[in-house]
Structures are given as structure tokens and as C-alpha cells.
């Protein structure tokens, strides 16, 4: 790892220069942060679980035609990805009221929304990632109208697919955050295509057990509910990534090539 050039270090991931031009290596750390990094901890095994869960979800989404930055998983903590220019927006899609939406609009957490809602936050840690309107996006040139049309259409498609995928394993997809990037068009034309980037994992989704409403996501860390990696392990097990292992919290990976 030390031989590679580090491009960027975020709160939960590190990006290194990739082996070929146009690629990067995305390394998943065990670090967890919340409330704009005011709360921090290291959760043993979280990076391994998020690497696997995000790989699984990206592959499923690619199967239904969503373009993503994912190329392949390299090992327990790393995946090879396409280098993109990140659109500076956190795109949040919500099906059930929770978190900041409940607080902002006074809707009780757990209330089903009349329809799925897509929101945008500016990626600015120093400002606490403020909620912005599409008008801000165009006025400040963070993305074009064409790009936003693609982003919204892809987000709703991802939401439809993931809601069904999680429902099939008894999990309610309450909300999630995704990020998109610009990739030079493969046919060499001047324009850029928008692809899904970053990760999709229990760090970036709210996932509730459908029967008990047990939280199986990062809210366990944010709200000091305990058993965070156990909950992530439960998600990975239900997705079929890990072998069920009721006696221990050990991670036994199915068909690993690590
Ligand atoms: O998570 P929090 O309550 O601060 O904010 P939210 O706007 O209610 O978050 C909506 C969804 O986006 C949740 O699933 C969060 O985990 C996710 N999110 C994220 O992954 N990263 C952020 N910086 C903000 C939200």
C-alpha cells in the first residue's frame, strides 16, 4: 500500500492511484464518523463489510444497466474503480421519514412518505453539507440540467431496484445517499457521461428490519445503539455475501479470492 500514491483520504475511505491510467483504488477503512466528524470511532471489520456490500450492490445495479465506477474488487478492503470527476452533490432518496427530514419538517420517524423524494446536499464538510435546491445547482454551475435529469432518473431507478432487493430479504430501505461522477465518453466525444460513484453500504443507507424495525445501519453508531458491525454482518448475511454463522460474529466470506 505504501508504494501507491494516495490521492485523497476521506472519513471512511482512502483513494490511491490505480494500476492503469483512468483507474483508482478505493480502500475501505474501519473508521466511522458522524455529525460531520464530531463523533469518531474505529469499528473492527466495518471496512471489509462495506467493501463487500458495496461491491454486491454495484454489480446488481450494473446488471440492470446503471453505469457505475466499479471495475472489480481487489481484496478484502480494496476495489478498483474508474476515476471520475465527482459532482459535488450528495443525492439523497427517501421512502420513509427519518433523520434530518424528520427534524426539519416535523414528520415522525418511520412515517411512510406519500412518494419517494430526492434531495440534494452540497458536498461541503465545512458547511455541514447543506440542503440545496435544483435552482442553486444550475445557478452555481455544480451540474447542468441534462446531468441533473440523468441523476434524478438514475436515482429513482436505483431506489426502485434496491427497495425490491432489500424487501426480498426482509429489510426496508428507508433512505440512502449516493454520489455521481463525470466520466469522459468512451466514444471520444467531447461530452461526459454521468455514472454512479462512491459506495452504497449500511454507512450510506437507512435499513430497518421489516418485522421489528431494528436498525441495521449507521444509525446504530450515530445513536449509540451498539452492535454496529453485527448489524452490518446481518445485512451481508441476508444478501448472501456471508455464510450464516450464528455462534460467532466472525466474518466468513463465501467464495473469497482474497
Ligand atoms: O444521516 P443524517 O440524519 O445526518 O442525514 P439525512 O439527511 O437524514 O440522511 C439521509 C440518508 O443519507 C441516510 O441514510 C444517511 O446515512 C445518508 N447520508 C450519508 O450517507 N452521508 C451524509 N453525509 C449524509 C447522509
Amino acid at each position: 500500500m505504501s508504494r501507491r500514491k494516495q490521492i485523497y483520504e476521506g472519513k471512511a475511505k482512502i483513494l490511491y492511484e490505480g494500476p492503469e491510467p483512468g483507474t483508482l483504488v478505493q480502500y475501505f477503512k474501519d473508521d466511522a464518523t458522524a455529525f460531520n466528524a464530531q463523533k469518531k470511532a474505529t469499528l473492527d471489520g466495518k471496512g471489509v463489510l462495506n467493501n463487500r456490500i458495496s461491491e454486491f450492490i454495484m454489480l446488481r445495479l450494473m446488471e440492470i444497466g446503471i453505469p457505475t465506477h466499479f471495475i472489480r474488487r481487489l481484496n478484502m478492503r480494496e476495489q478498483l474503480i474508474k476515476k471520475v470527476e465527482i459532482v459535488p452533490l450528495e443525492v439523497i432518496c427517501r421512502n420513509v421519514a427519518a433523520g434530518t427530514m424528520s427534524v426539519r419538517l416535523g414528520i415522525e420517524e418511520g412515517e411512510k412518505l406519500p412518494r419517494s423524494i430526492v434531495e440534494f446536499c452540497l458536498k461541503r464538510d465545512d458547511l455541514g453539507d447543506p440542503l440545496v435546491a435544483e435552482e442553486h445547482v444550475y445557478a452555481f454551475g455544480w451540474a447542468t440540467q441534462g446531468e441533473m435529469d440523468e441523476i434524478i432518473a438514475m436515482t429513482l431507478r436505483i431506489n426502485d431496484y434496491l427497495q425490491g432487493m432489500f424487501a426480498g430479504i426482509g429489510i426496508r430501505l428507508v433512505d440512502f445517499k449516493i454520489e455521481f461522477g463525470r466520466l469522459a465518453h468512451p466514444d471520444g466525444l467531447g461530452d461526459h457521461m454521468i455514472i454512479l460513484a462512491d459506495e452504497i453500504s449500511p454507512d450510506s443507507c437507512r435499513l430497518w428490519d421489516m418485522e421489528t424495525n431494528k436498525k441495521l445501519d449507521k444509525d446504530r453508531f450515530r445513536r449509540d445503539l451498539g452492535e454496529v458491525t453485527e448489524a452490518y454482518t446481518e445485512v451481508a448475511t441476508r444478501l448472501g455475501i456471508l455464510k450464516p454463522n450464528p455462534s460467532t460474529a466472525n466474518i466468513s466470506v463465501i467464495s473469497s479470492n482474497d
Side-chain angles (χ1 to χ4, degrees):
M1 228 165 41
S2 52
R3 282 177 288 119
R4 281 202 303 251
K5 189 173 160 215
Q6 185 174 311
I7 305 281
Y8 172 81
E9 176 154 13
K11 286 171 278 191
K13 296 188 293 287
I14 305 173
L15 294 177
Y16 296 98
E17 208 165 59
E20 297 127 38
T23 66
L24 296 176
V25 173
Q26 179 166 249
Y27 176 95
F28 288 77
K29 300 192 278 186
D30 282 343
D31 296 353
T33 64
F35 312 117
N36 211 4
Q38 288 170 48
K39 177 173 176 155
K40 290 185 194 169
T42 302
L43 303 170
D44 270 353
K46 178 177 81 82
V48 174
L49 289 159
N50 281 353
N51 186 23
R52 295 298 300 248
I53 294 170
S54 195
E55 171 197 24
F56 181 91
I57 293 175
M58 292 283 176
L59 288 173
R60 295 291 84 74
L61 292 175
M62 285 156 78
E63 280 168 12
I64 62 155
I66 302 285
T68 87
H69 73 162
F70 182 83
I71 301 173
R72 66 175 179 277
R73 187 168 59 84
L74 297 171
N75 55 48
M76 292 283 272
R77 286 184 184 274
E78 294 177 332
Q79 41 186 251
L80 187 65
I81 58 170
K82 294 177 188 167
K83 186 175 185 171
V84 293
E85 180 197 343
I86 291 285
V87 175
L89 297 173
E90 302 205 328
V91 181
I92 293 172
C93 184
R94 302 176 183 273
N95 301 305
V96 173
T100 55
M101 170 178 260
S102 293
V103 175
R104 223 174 27 238
L105 301 182
I107 307 173
E108 201 180 330
E109 198 160 81
E111 198 171 303
K112 190 176 179 321
L113 298 171
R115 47 173 275 190
S116 302
I117 295 175
V118 180
E119 294 176 344
F120 307 100
C121 293
L122 179 64
K123 268 175 70 70
R124 277 282 299 266
D125 279 343
D126 57 333
L127 301 176
D129 299 334
L131 185 69
V132 295
E134 259 186 272
E135 278 298 303
H136 296 103
V137 175
Y138 306 136
F140 294 110
W142 298 322
T144 66
Q145 201 142 2
E147 287 175 333
M148 289 300 276
D149 289 347
E150 279 188 58
I151 285 173
I152 294 166
M154 267 198 257
T155 301
L156 292 171
R157 180 116 198 274
I158 291 167
N159 183 46
D160 274 352
Y161 180 81
L162 293 185
Q163 272 195 90
M165 186 190 84
F166 280 116
I169 54 169
I171 291 175
R172 179 169 295 119
L173 179 62
V174 170
D175 57 34
F176 61 93
K177 183 268 305 182
I178 47 183
E179 295 181 24
F180 292 89
R182 298 183 183 97
L183 183 72
H185 219 282
D187 58 15
L189 295 175
D191 58 344
H192 289 73
M193 65 186 275
I194 292 285
I195 67 174
L196 179 65
D198 193 47
E199 71 178 301
I200 303 184
S201 73
D203 267 5
S204 58
C205 302
R206 284 198 170 91
L207 303 168
W208 297 357
D209 181 86
M210 278 183 152
E211 284 192 355
T212 63
N213 279 336
K214 182 181 174 187
K215 296 183 199 312
L216 300 171
D217 56 59
K218 195 169 144 184
D219 271 349
R220 300 204 71 82
F221 169 68
R222 293 190 190 95
R223 301 180 188 188
D224 291 322
L225 300 174
E227 300 188 330
V228 184
T229 46
E230 287 81 354
Y232 287 32
T233 302
E234 167 90 32
V235 173
T237 306
R238 289 202 206 176
L239 286 171
I241 300 167
L242 304 185
K243 279 186 210 141
N245 193 350
S247 57
T248 71
N250 285 346
I251 299 165
S252 45
V253 177
I254 290 175
S255 69
S256 166
N257 58 6
D258 306 314

